[in-house]
Amino acid sequence: MTQENAFISIRNVNKFFGKFQAINDVSMDIDHGEFFSLLGSSGCGKTTLLRMLAGFESVSSGEIYIDGQPMSGVPPHHRPVNMVFQNYAIFPHLNVRDNIAYGLRRQKLSRAKRREMVDEMLELIKLPEYGDRKATQLSGGQRQRIALARALILKPKVLLLDEPLGALDKQLREQMQLELRALQRTVGITFVFVTHDQEEALTLSDRIAVMSDGRDLQVDTPTRLYESPVNREVASFIGTMNFFDGTVKSVGSDTAVINVDGLGEITAPACTVSLLAGDRINVAIRPEKFLLTDQKPEGVQNCVKGHLDNAAYLGERSHYYVSVEGISQPVAVSAQNQSRAGGTEDRKRPVWLSWDNAAIVVLKDA
Amino acid sequence: MLQKSETLRGYSLLTPTLIIMAIGILVPFGILIAMSFWTQVGFGFDLTPTVANYEMAADRPIYGALIKRSLWMSGMATIATVLLCYPMAYFVAFHVHRNKMMWIVLMTLPFWTSYLLRVFAWKVVLGYDGVINSALLSVGLIDAPLEFLLYSQTAVIITLAHAWAAFAILPMYVSLEKIDRSLLEAATDLGDGPVMRFFRITLPLSLPGVISATLLIFIPTTGDYITPALLGGPDGIMIGNLIQKQFGAVNNWPMGAALAIILMLSIAAIALGFMFSTMFVRRRIT
């Protein structure tokens, strides 16, 4: 995980508010030009970490480096970062143009140059006609863009975004996600993005840090977070996951044979965790990795019989809950409705579940 | 239909207030205006309309001088109060996190005693043998009591500033308290140090509170007559004292009414001018 010369380097950072520990020994590196997300439920410390990058919170111990410079003792107004606030913090007494130009005052530019830069920004955020509007006459999406422009015009080394899309409705949010991603590619600035919305994080990010209780659980690409979560917490936080208990029977060079309660003996692919025969472990399989059939499938690596417990038709796909003997929780299965309506109406019928060995994720913690 | 009944209901809710306002403000005001065009004859009035009172007010320099002095003194008192109270309001709004209400109550504490008592208290503090003079004498900083402290404009300004402090603190506190803290963080984030941030964000956004505090103090203090009567001495007499005398010892009610109207118009003119200029300044400083 540690890289030499990372653009942002967070080293063993702790943060205490009184006796409460908000950040617990967090270390991570963020590359130049990366779209990096801090993902976690509320109270996990992601916003605190972002505010520490901005300089609004001090570091109790540890150090944050931005572009090689240690940030301890550097006040927010001297840091090479700018922030987009959760509520956008648009100055209500200024018009759009003055809001965007706010930070340029220190740069001692000519009036014409400043105007030109603001016009450029208005163009970039696709609000060229809005310069003279009052800040109070803007919609949520427009305020968000202005907050972005106000920060980007200063060409910061890092742009910090604190749940900037949280206040927008679903449709606008999806549109802004695409625009944000495109904007980040255009300007090439490192983005650090805080969100509690896993889908948003997966859509936008180059890499994501999943946080919980002030710790970073896993820092990885969206694909790897989804396909190979390192522990149960990450696995259950991102998407839906079926968990099964099992015992390691034997360990080979790149596979392990595991006796899973209810599913029988399965051969799992080589995994990141080291296993010993006899270990009690967790096996996880995503709902969409199961294939649900009415007849016993032929020529598959693994299959098990169960009863359809419950089903929900969601249009493009259906969710099924299948009870399997020996497993307390019904197994969640998700299937695309490619040719038929999924057969959700016929409950309590016997079904077969099959899956590939490659779909199996082995988690050490039981 | 519904809207009409809503309006109707609104008015009916307002009715008691409207009646009280009509009886308590508009009627006396109408009488005052009418009276200012009358003439005092012994203990009665000559009701023939005349502008003689206004002409006299314009001709005799004493009236103009007193109005000017009153506006000057209450202006000074207003500036002093706002300048002294803004930091207090700022402190409570930004740096007190627990028991804010207690701080506010403590700041309004002087208001728990009567106005007259507060004025007398200042008499004790500022007097010839008062607290300040005896303290300075006993320390040896002065040889003789400072005479300018009592019975002077300074005494009136000090007392007015203290007496009206709560009226300045409360509106300014409210407008400071209302400022979204993330706006201040945003300003810092965009490169402003504390001083720049104060002048570019905090002050413009708290300006409504400053304006209402200014008007709340300036308007009533200009016509005040208790404080100048008790602490002003010959130099500290204000127009309020003269108006009061017209209705009392001098027994020229129409003249008093005319002076009251002139005073009111000058205050209104100044207040309007002040409001327009702050609006202009507000547009400029940002």
Side-chain angles (χ1 to χ4, degrees), chain A residues 276-294:
Chain A
L276 289 172
D279 278 354
R280 284 295 283 175
I281 55 154
N282 244 259
V283 172
I285 305 177
R286 293 278 180 201
E288 70 278 5
K289 310 284 188 201
F290 282 112
L291 183 67
L292 184 120
T293 46
D294 290 342

Side-chain angles (χ1 to χ4, degrees), chain A residues 94-142:
Chain A
L94 303 180
N95 67 14
V96 170
R97 192 173 285 284
D98 291 340
N99 259 287
I100 294 176
Y102 191 91
L104 291 178
R105 199 184 173 92
R106 287 182 75 195
Q107 299 185 10
K108 307 265 181 277
L109 300 165
S110 72
R111 191 173 273 254
K113 174 70 185 157
R114 197 185 303 175
R115 203 179 164 83
E116 186 193 312
M117 287 175 76
V118 172
D119 282 337
E120 229 167 74
M121 269 298 147
L122 284 168
E123 205 70 51
L124 185 71
I125 58 167
K126 296 178 187 130
L127 293 173
E129 306 296 320
Y130 282 71
D132 299 319
R133 287 274 184 107
K134 274 191 157 180
T136 41
Q137 298 168 333
L138 301 169
S139 72
Q142 289 164 346

Side-chain angles (χ1 to χ4, degrees), chain A residues 316-333:
Chain A
E316 58 175 281
R317 73 190 118 122
S318 295
H319 286 172
Y320 303 91
Y321 296 92
V322 178
S323 57
V324 175
E325 211 173 306
I327 303 171
S328 52
Q329 288 275 327
V331 179
V333 179

Side-chain angles (χ1 to χ4, degrees), chain A residues 51 82-83 87 93 102 106, chain B residues 180 185 188-189 191-192 200:
Chain A
R51 290 174 59 81
N82 284 115
M83 186 151 163
N87 63 357
H93 57 300
Y102 191 91
R106 287 182 75 195
Chain B
D180 187 346
E185 286 190 343
T188 310
D189 186 65
D192 275 357
R200 296 181 74 192

Side-chain angles (χ1 to χ4, degrees), chain B residues 6-266:
Chain B
E6 286 265 320
T7 322
L8 214 66
R9 210 173 330 150
Y11 276 119
S12 65
L13 279 171
L14 266 177
T15 310
T17 323
L18 285 176
I19 291 173
I20 290 171
M21 275 182 69
I23 296 174
I25 296 173
L26 293 179
V27 172
F29 186 55
I31 295 174
L32 201 67
I33 291 176
M35 192 185 279
S36 69
F37 294 103
W38 297 346
T39 317
Q40 184 89 30
V41 184
F43 288 101
F45 299 114
D46 175 2
L47 302 188
T48 336
T50 165
V51 291
N53 293 320
Y54 291 97
E55 275 171 11
M56 184 147 85
D59 285 347
R60 292 210 190 154
I62 174 79
Y63 298 120
L66 270 184
I67 285 181
K68 249 185 254 163
R69 184 200 279 176
S70 301
L71 293 173
W72 162 255
M73 282 167 72
S74 70
M76 284 295 112
T78 306
I79 291 170
T81 317
V82 170
L83 284 183
L84 288 172
C85 292
Y86 193 91
M88 286 203 266
Y90 186 92
F91 175 76
V92 178
F94 287 99
H95 295 292
V96 175
H97 301 291
R98 264 183 274 167
N99 295 332
K100 282 195 183 205
M101 221 42 234
M102 191 192 75
W103 280 78
I104 293 297
V105 169
L106 281 178
M107 284 179 177
T108 57
L109 206 61
F111 269 73
W112 295 16
T113 57
S114 101
Y115 186 47
L116 211 55
L117 274 179
R118 270 176 280 147
V119 177
F120 271 113
W122 276 106
K123 210 168 174 168
V124 173
V125 175
L126 301 170
Y128 193 80
D129 297 325
V131 178
I132 293 181
N133 276 328
S134 355
L136 289 177
L137 274 172
S138 67
V139 176
L141 281 172
I142 50 172
D143 298 327
L146 299 170
E147 290 182 15
F148 69 91
L149 280 178
L150 195 58
Y151 303 125
S152 67
Q153 296 189 5
T154 323
V156 177
I157 291 171
I158 291 174
T159 309
L160 287 177
H162 170 254
W164 293 86
F167 284 93
I169 290 177
L170 291 177
M172 292 195 291
Y173 166 75
V174 169
S175 67
L176 283 166
E177 179 68 26
K178 251 189 358 199
I179 296 174
D180 187 346
R181 298 305 185 264
S182 68
L183 295 177
L184 303 179
E185 286 190 343
T188 310
D189 186 65
L190 294 169
D192 275 357
V195 177
M196 275 309 258
R197 185 181 74 182
F198 175 78
F199 283 109
R200 296 181 74 192
I201 304 292
T202 316
L203 188 60
L205 287 178
S206 63
L207 215 50
V210 175
I211 292 172
S212 45
T214 306
L215 296 179
L216 267 175
I217 301 165
F218 180 72
I219 293 170
T221 50
T222 313
D224 192 62
Y225 70 94
I226 298 177
T227 306
L230 291 174
L231 300 175
D235 286 343
I237 290 292
M238 289 166 76
I239 190 71
N241 305 96
L242 193 65
I243 294 174
Q244 187 238 347
K245 283 211 171 70
Q246 300 297 321
F247 286 97
V250 178
N251 192 28
N252 189 351
W253 289 29
M255 189 63 213
L259 287 175
I261 302 261
I262 292 170
L263 177 65
M264 201 168 63
L265 290 176
S266 11

Side-chain angles (χ1 to χ4, degrees), chain A residues 153-216:
Chain A
I153 200 169
L154 301 175
K155 304 202 167 53
K157 289 181 175 169
V158 184
L159 185 71
L160 308 170
L161 302 105
D162 185 8
E163 305 215 19
L165 307 177
L168 307 178
D169 60 61
K170 192 169 179 290
Q171 235 174 349
L172 189 59
R173 191 160 65 224
E174 280 167 7
Q175 186 199 334
M176 285 308 297
Q177 283 176 7
L178 294 176
E179 283 186 22
L180 203 58
R181 186 70 240 228
L183 188 72
Q184 195 260 340
R185 292 214 172 102
T186 317
V187 295
I189 290 171
T190 310
F191 277 32
V192 180
F193 184 91
V194 158
T195 182
H196 65 268
D197 185 334
Q198 41 146 319
E199 213 170 297
E200 194 167 280
L202 292 174
T203 315
L204 289 170
S205 320
D206 293 319
R207 283 194 308 147
I208 301 169
V210 180
M211 293 188 64
S212 173
D213 292 330
R215 290 168 298 121
D216 55 320

